[in-house]
Amino acid sequence: MIELDIPGFKKLEIEHLVLDYNGTLALDGKLLSGVRELLMEISTQLKIHVVTADTLGHCAEELKNLPVTIHILSAAPEDEAKLDYLARLGKESCACIGNGRNDKLMLREAALGIIIYGPECFSTESSAASDIGSTDILSALGIFTHPKRMLATLRN
């Protein structure tokens, strides 16, 4: 668990990290370099979930042997399915990272929502629903290995 009281924002008690796959952890279905190592490190503090439509079908293979729970979406609309998954975990204990329009609801409702402005681009609707924006997934995951970065970004 990561606990952090951020003045002017809120007190965070994060137990779960919910991640989109394509465009967030992966580009064209392939896990981005450096992600595997950071997920291993973060898994010592948080339960990691990957919630995806798995458009390209590579998620399970790419995340093989990582301590993550993979949830492949079967219901549409995808944004509501992701929100339902978040609600089952308890949205107040979740941080979410995504980039697509189907991530908008989970980014808005999570205790902490982070959008990735990465090589696959991002949804402006999801950007507006997020608390933090990051230029890449490694920087976004880095705030969970160095939580005081959240304080520096979000305090008022």
Side-chain angles (χ1 to χ4, degrees), residues 6 9-10 12 14 17 91-92 94-97 106-114 130-132 143-144 150 154:
I6 303 173
F9 183 65
K10 62 179 123 176
L12 295 174
I14 305 295
L17 178 57
K91 64 184 181 178
E92 66 283 344
C94 293
C96 294
I97 304 176
M106 76 171 187
L107 291 170
R108 183 182 68 217
E109 294 298 320
L112 181 67
I114 302 169
S130 301
D131 299 303
I132 296 175
I143 69 169
F144 297 98
M150 287 183 248
L154 294 171

Coordinates of all heavy atoms in Angstrom, one line a residue, residues 6 9-10 12 14 17 91-92 94-97 106-114 130-132 143-144 150 154:
I6 N -1.7 14.5 0.6 CA -1.3 15.6 -0.3 C -2.1 16.9 0.0 O -3.3 16.9 -0.3 CB -1.5 15.2 -1.8 CG1 -0.7 13.9 -2.0 CG2 -1.0 16.3 -2.7 CD1 -0.9 13.3 -3.4
F9 N -5.1 18.4 -2.1 CA -5.6 17.4 -3.0 C -6.4 16.4 -2.2 O -7.6 16.5 -2.1 CB -4.5 16.7 -3.8 CG -4.9 15.7 -4.8 CD1 -5.6 16.1 -5.9 CD2 -4.6 14.3 -4.6 CE1 -6.0 15.1 -6.8 CE2 -5.0 13.4 -5.6 CZ -5.7 13.8 -6.7
K10 N -5.8 15.4 -1.6 CA -6.5 14.5 -0.8 C -5.5 13.5 -0.1 O -4.3 13.5 -0.5 CB -7.6 13.7 -1.5 CG -7.1 12.8 -2.7 CD -8.2 12.1 -3.3 CE -8.3 12.4 -4.8 NZ -9.3 11.6 -5.5
L12 N -4.2 9.9 0.0 CA -4.3 8.7 -0.8 C -3.9 7.4 0.0 O -2.9 7.5 0.7 CB -3.3 8.8 -2.0 CG -3.6 9.9 -3.0 CD1 -2.5 10.0 -4.0 CD2 -4.9 9.6 -3.7
I14 N -3.5 3.9 -1.6 CA -3.6 3.2 -2.8 C -3.2 1.7 -2.5 O -2.1 1.4 -2.0 CB -2.6 3.8 -3.9 CG1 -3.0 5.2 -4.1 CG2 -2.7 2.9 -5.2 CD1 -4.3 5.5 -4.7
L17 N -3.2 -0.8 -8.5 CA -2.8 -0.1 -9.7 C -3.5 -0.8 -10.9 O -3.2 -1.9 -11.2 CB -1.3 0.0 -9.8 CG -0.8 0.7 -11.1 CD1 -1.2 2.1 -11.1 CD2 0.8 0.6 -11.1
K91 N -12.9 1.9 -5.8 CA -12.3 3.0 -6.5 C -11.4 3.9 -5.7 O -10.4 4.4 -6.1 CB -13.3 3.8 -7.4 CG -14.3 4.5 -6.5 CD -15.3 5.2 -7.4 CE -16.3 6.0 -6.6 NZ -17.3 6.7 -7.4
E92 N -11.8 4.0 -4.4 CA -11.0 4.9 -3.5 C -9.7 4.3 -3.1 O -8.8 5.1 -2.6 CB -11.8 5.2 -2.2 CG -12.1 3.9 -1.4 CD -13.1 3.0 -1.9 OE1 -14.0 3.3 -2.7 OE2 -13.1 1.8 -1.4
C94 N -7.8 2.8 -5.6 CA -7.1 2.5 -6.9 C -6.5 3.7 -7.5 O -7.0 4.8 -7.5 CB -8.2 2.0 -7.9 SG -8.9 0.4 -7.4
A95 N -5.3 3.5 -8.1 CA -4.7 4.4 -9.0 C -4.9 3.8 -10.4 O -4.8 2.6 -10.5 CB -3.3 4.7 -8.7
C96 N -5.1 4.6 -11.4 CA -5.3 4.1 -12.8 C -4.4 4.8 -13.7 O -4.2 6.0 -13.6 CB -6.7 4.3 -13.2 SG -7.9 3.3 -12.3
I97 N -3.9 4.1 -14.7 CA -3.1 4.7 -15.8 C -3.7 4.2 -17.1 O -3.9 3.0 -17.3 CB -1.7 4.3 -15.7 CG1 -1.1 4.7 -14.4 CG2 -0.9 5.0 -16.8 CD1 0.4 4.3 -14.2
M106 N -12.7 5.4 -15.7 CA -11.8 4.9 -14.6 C -10.8 6.0 -14.2 O -10.5 6.1 -13.0 CB -11.2 3.6 -15.0 CG -10.0 3.6 -15.9 SD -9.2 2.0 -16.0 CE -7.8 2.4 -16.9
L107 N -10.3 6.8 -15.1 CA -9.4 7.8 -14.7 C -10.0 8.9 -13.9 O -9.5 9.4 -12.9 CB -8.7 8.5 -16.0 CG -7.8 7.6 -16.8 CD1 -7.4 8.2 -18.1 CD2 -6.6 7.2 -16.0
R108 N -11.3 9.2 -14.2 CA -12.0 10.2 -13.4 C -12.4 9.7 -12.0 O -12.3 10.5 -11.1 CB -13.3 10.6 -14.2 CG -14.0 11.8 -13.5 CD -15.3 12.2 -14.2 NE -16.3 11.1 -14.1 CZ -17.1 10.7 -15.1 NH1 -17.1 11.4 -16.2 NH2 -17.9 9.7 -15.0
E109 N -12.8 8.5 -11.9 CA -13.4 7.9 -10.7 C -12.3 7.4 -9.7 O -12.6 7.2 -8.5 CB -14.4 6.9 -11.0 CG -15.6 7.5 -11.7 CD -16.4 8.5 -10.9 OE1 -16.5 8.3 -9.6 OE2 -16.8 9.5 -11.4
A110 N -11.2 7.0 -10.2 CA -10.1 6.5 -9.3 C -9.6 7.5 -8.3 O -9.8 8.7 -8.5 CB -9.0 6.0 -10.2
A111 N -9.0 7.0 -7.2 CA -8.4 7.9 -6.3 C -7.4 8.8 -6.9 O -7.2 9.9 -6.6 CB -7.8 7.2 -5.1
L112 N -6.7 8.2 -8.0 CA -5.7 8.9 -8.7 C -5.7 8.4 -10.2 O -5.6 7.2 -10.4 CB -4.3 8.6 -8.1 CG -3.1 9.3 -8.8 CD1 -3.2 10.8 -8.6 CD2 -1.8 8.8 -8.3
G113 N -5.9 9.3 -11.1 CA -5.9 9.0 -12.5 C -4.7 9.6 -13.2 O -4.5 10.8 -13.1
I114 N -4.0 8.8 -14.0 CA -2.9 9.3 -14.8 C -3.0 9.0 -16.2 O -3.3 7.8 -16.6 CB -1.6 8.6 -14.2 CG1 -1.4 8.9 -12.7 CG2 -0.4 9.1 -15.0 CD1 -0.3 8.1 -12.1
S130 N -8.2 13.2 -15.9 CA -7.1 12.7 -15.1 C -6.6 13.8 -14.1 O -6.8 15.0 -14.3 CB -5.9 12.4 -16.1 OG -6.4 11.4 -17.0
D131 N -5.9 13.3 -13.1 CA -5.2 14.1 -12.1 C -3.8 14.5 -12.6 O -3.3 15.6 -12.2 CB -5.1 13.4 -10.8 CG -6.5 13.1 -10.2 OD1 -7.3 14.0 -10.1 OD2 -6.8 11.9 -10.0
I132 N -3.1 13.6 -13.3 CA -1.7 13.8 -13.7 C -1.6 13.3 -15.1 O -2.2 12.4 -15.6 CB -0.8 12.9 -12.8 CG1 -0.8 13.3 -11.3 CG2 0.7 13.0 -13.3 CD1 0.0 12.5 -10.4
I143 N 6.3 7.3 -10.4 CA 5.7 7.9 -9.2 C 5.3 6.9 -8.1 O 5.1 7.3 -7.0 CB 4.6 8.9 -9.5 CG1 3.4 8.2 -10.0 CG2 5.1 10.0 -10.5 CD1 2.2 9.1 -10.1
F144 N 5.2 5.7 -8.5 CA 4.8 4.6 -7.5 C 6.1 4.0 -6.9 O 6.0 3.5 -5.8 CB 3.9 3.5 -8.2 CG 2.6 4.1 -8.6 CD1 2.5 4.5 -10.0 CD2 1.6 4.4 -7.7 CE1 1.3 5.0 -10.4 CE2 0.4 4.9 -8.2 CZ 0.3 5.3 -9.5
M150 N 4.4 12.3 -6.4 CA 2.9 12.7 -6.5 C 2.7 14.0 -5.7 O 1.9 14.8 -6.1 CB 2.1 11.6 -5.9 CG 2.0 10.4 -6.8 SD 0.9 9.1 -6.0 CE 2.1 7.8 -5.6
L154 N 1.0 17.3 -7.2 CA -0.4 17.5 -6.9 C -0.7 18.5 -5.7 O -1.8 18.9 -5.5 CB -1.1 16.2 -6.6 CG -1.2 15.3 -7.7 CD1 -1.7 13.9 -7.3 CD2 -2.2 15.8 -8.8

